[in-house]
Amino acid sequence: MATPYEKALAAIDAAHALDPTLTTPSSGPQIPYELHYAQKSTSYLTQRHPTAPETLRLAIRAQHFRRWEVPRSSYPMTRPGYHAWRTFLKKRQASLVTQICLDAGFSPEDSERVGALIRKEDLKSDEETQVLEDVACLVFLDDQFEAFEREHDEGKILGILRKTWGKMSERGHELALGIGMSGRSAELVGKALAG
């Protein structure tokens, strides 16, 4: 019989599998992007916090839960629009995943803990929220940065890299420096960290 964790994980991944955007990772066949993102996040979590509790593992797996249903273009293409979109997404994702956890058999306290982590509550004082932030930054640097840097000017990219670095813990920095970047990406990261 499946445990509450196994039930919740299966429900989260079943939703990820519905993402219509497909990607072809270097290590295998084409899969829905959000399933790929979730798997990549779990992979970084095992490096960042190998003994993470189930609540943190689920929150990290569900960071982008059903994100494609609320596209960035549904909000104004401004900085305030971006922040409003991100705030809405965090609340929506937390609410949906909290309910999945309750339905899977988690206690209300543990279910709400998953939601609080997804909302990134108490980032400066909660070690587990910091782990989640580190994982999100690592996946960005490893999996999304190369495409991102092709779409923006150097000044904006350097600013975003410095902000990303500032959000991470020392352990997150260590793992980030181990990401095998090459060419322009590596050059930009070096420039951001030097400046």
Side-chain angles (χ1 to χ4, degrees):
M1 183 147 157
T3 65
Y5 173 77
E6 290 165 341
K7 287 180 192 169
L9 185 66
I12 289 165
D13 280 355
H16 289 326
L18 300 174
D19 182 4
T21 303
L22 301 176
T23 189
T24 306
S26 56
S27 58
Q30 197 174 57
I31 63 170
Y33 178 75
E34 291 304 350
L35 186 57
H36 164 74
Y37 181 92
Q39 291 169 350
K40 197 93 171 162
S41 296
T42 294
S43 172
Y44 271 111
L45 175 61
T46 58
Q47 295 176 62
R48 175 62 180 81
H49 188 357
T51 58
E54 290 179 346
T55 49
L56 179 55
R57 285 188 274 157
L58 289 172
I60 281 179
R61 193 73 171 198
Q63 272 189 89
H64 278 191
F65 193 76
R66 302 187 83 93
R67 188 177 194 170
W68 72 89
E69 294 177 342
V70 186
R72 171 67 187 93
S73 59
S74 63
Y75 280 75
M77 298 304 280
T78 60
R79 183 176 292 220
Y82 173 76
H83 289 296
W85 173 67
R86 289 291 301 271
T87 299
F88 175 78
L89 282 176
K90 282 193 288 191
K91 289 178 181 170
R92 179 180 190 260
Q93 290 155 351
S95 174
L96 292 170
V97 177
T98 297
Q99 190 59 54
I100 283 176
C101 291
L102 287 167
D103 293 345
F106 277 96
S107 70
E109 295 77 19
D110 283 347
S111 300
E112 180 47 41
R113 175 64 177 155
V114 174
L117 286 164
I118 291 172
R119 288 189 300 271
K120 295 186 184 177
E121 291 181 3
D122 303 318
L123 180 55
K124 298 296 178 202
S125 58
D126 187 317
E127 171 61 22
E128 290 184 358
T129 306
Q130 182 60 60
V131 169
L132 185 140
E133 184 68 37
D134 280 353
V135 166
C137 292
L138 288 163
V139 175
F140 167 69
L141 291 169
D142 181 26
D143 199 56
Q144 300 166 324
F145 178 64
E146 206 170 287
F148 180 84
E149 65 92 359
R150 287 195 295 265
E151 297 171 8
H152 300 282
D153 66 74
E154 185 170 303
K156 180 170 184 175
I157 293 163
L158 293 176
I160 287 170
L161 282 170
R162 289 180 187 123
K163 279 184 197 159
T164 299
W165 200 255
K167 292 177 185 177
M168 298 172 77
S169 69
E170 285 306 310
R171 178 63 181 137
H173 292 162
E174 290 169 16
L175 290 169
L177 291 171
I179 294 171
M181 287 189 185
S182 59
R184 175 120 174 97
S185 296
E187 179 190 323
L188 286 165
V189 170
K191 204 180 269 193
L193 298 184

